[in-house]
């Protein structure tokens, strides 16, 4: 668990030009991104297919110091723990839905010297994390159905975020899906402090301003 909360903005590179991923990722970092959110999809847990550990390893060889979070939208997250650790991933965020023994996966991620993120689809209630929240560094509340970028933000997920914040005041809580300038206030007020934003940041003419505005909205709530 986090000792003190800070606002962190992690652009999702799913909407970036993958042919220029290293350059685009570095530009996001130069524009104020706190970390990079890497969406890994296996075509099974979600219908889409993106990229795996070889691409992440290549990205790490060009970007030495940035914090990489992989969001593992995969049916067998255990399978990719070691390859992603070897690729230089800092935080391994996996979905609880396909996993029989979540605490075991949390422990294996920790043993691989990565931070542990636990992700919940919109239909998964927040209280499923009660038994293993102490094993996680962060809980991700999906605000769209995982699998595709550019979906409409689901404000109905905000009570889930608020419940987590009320019960775990120092927990890092991430939101992902349809988050941008128009929806950040709802996320901040509910208690999210880690913000994944794809389209709103990647497609912005002034990425630095969007990142600054998102961070400011969260910090205003955290500091009150």
């Amino acid at each position: 668990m986090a000792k003190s909360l800070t606002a962190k903005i992690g652009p999702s590179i799913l909407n970036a030009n993958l042919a220029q991923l290293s350059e685009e990722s570095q530009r996001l970092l130069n524009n104020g991104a706190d970390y990079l959110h890497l969406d890994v999809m296996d075509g099974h847990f979600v219908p889409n297919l993106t990229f795996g550990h070889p691409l992440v390893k290549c990205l790490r060889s060009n970007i030495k110091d940035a914090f990489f979070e992989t969001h593992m939208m995969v049916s067998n997250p255990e399978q990719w723990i070691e390859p992603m650790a070897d690729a230089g991933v800092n935080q391994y965020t996996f979905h609880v839905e396909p996993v029989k023994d979540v605490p075991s996966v949390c422990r294996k991620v920790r043993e691989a010297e990565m931070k542990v993120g636990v992700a919940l689809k919109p239909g998964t209630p927040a209280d499923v994390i009660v038994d293993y929240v102490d094993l996680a560094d962060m809980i991700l509340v999906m605000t769209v159905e995982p699998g595709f970028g550019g979906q409409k933000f689901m404000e109905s997920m905000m009570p889930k975020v608020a419940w987590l914040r009320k019960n775990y005041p120092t927990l890092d809580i991430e939101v992902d899906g349809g988050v941008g300038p128009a929806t950040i206030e709802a996320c901040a007020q509910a208690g999210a402090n880690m913000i994944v934003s794809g389209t709103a940041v990647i497609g912005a003419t002034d990425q630095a301003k969007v990142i600054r505005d998102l961070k400011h909205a969260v910090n205003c709530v955290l500091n009150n």
Side-chain angles (χ1 to χ4, degrees):
M1 284 208 178
K3 294 288 187 293
S4 62
L5 293 176
T6 56
K8 294 176 186 166
I9 311 302
S12 165
I13 62 168
L14 186 62
N15 298 103
N17 180 352
L18 294 181
Q20 298 179 326
L21 192 54
S22 178
E23 295 89 338
E24 293 217 10
S25 296
Q26 189 59 58
R27 184 160 65 102
L28 289 165
L29 294 163
N30 293 346
N31 283 326
D34 297 288
Y35 64 104
L36 295 177
H37 182 89
L38 313 177
D39 289 302
V40 177
M41 307 181 192
D42 65 354
H44 189 260
F45 178 67
V46 292
N48 236 342
L49 187 67
T50 55
F51 50 78
H53 58 278
L55 184 143
V56 177
K57 193 167 191 172
C58 288
L59 190 60
R60 175 57 83 197
S61 70
N62 288 333
I63 299 176
K64 306 292 186 188
D65 300 322
F67 190 95
F68 285 5
E69 177 199 11
T70 49
H71 177 192
M72 305 300 296
M73 290 171 264
V74 299
S75 292
N76 184 15
E78 231 173 295
Q79 180 180 356
W80 309 110
I81 293 172
E82 288 299 335
M84 284 299 183
D86 179 66
V89 168
N90 302 100
Q91 178 167 301
Y92 191 90
T93 299
F94 67 95
H95 275 267
V96 302
E97 292 84 11
V99 176
K100 286 192 173 70
D101 188 347
V102 173
S104 171
V105 178
C106 289
R107 282 190 289 270
K108 286 174 180 173
V109 172
R110 181 89 62 217
E111 285 162 10
E113 300 184 345
M114 294 182 290
K115 286 192 165 188
V116 179
V118 172
L120 308 176
K121 289 172 71 173
T124 304
D127 60 6
V128 302
I129 58 95
V130 169
D131 292 338
Y132 42 79
V133 67
D134 289 338
L135 299 172
D137 294 289
M138 186 207 79
I139 304 295
L140 163 56
V141 175
M142 290 298 296
T143 46
V144 297
E145 287 295 338
F148 297 93
Q151 294 181 66
K152 191 176 186 301
F153 175 76
M154 298 168 70
E155 193 157 354
S156 57
M157 294 299 106
M158 292 305 97
K160 193 188 291 192
V161 175
W163 183 90
L164 286 166
R165 178 56 66 223
K166 179 184 174 188
N167 287 281
Y168 307 101
T170 60
L171 179 69
D172 275 324
I173 302 171
E174 185 178 66
V175 286
D176 177 13
V179 181
T183 53
I184 187 61
E185 195 62 34
C187 298
Q189 291 295 338
N193 68 298
M194 293 183 69
I195 308 298
V196 177
S197 184
T199 311
V201 172
I202 301 285
T205 52
D206 188 345
Q207 289 184 351
K209 182 181 186 303
V210 174
I211 290 170
R212 264 196 323 273
D213 290 349
L214 295 176
K215 190 176 284 193
H216 177 71
V218 175
N219 278 329
C220 281
V221 175
L222 287 179
N223 295 330
N224 279 343

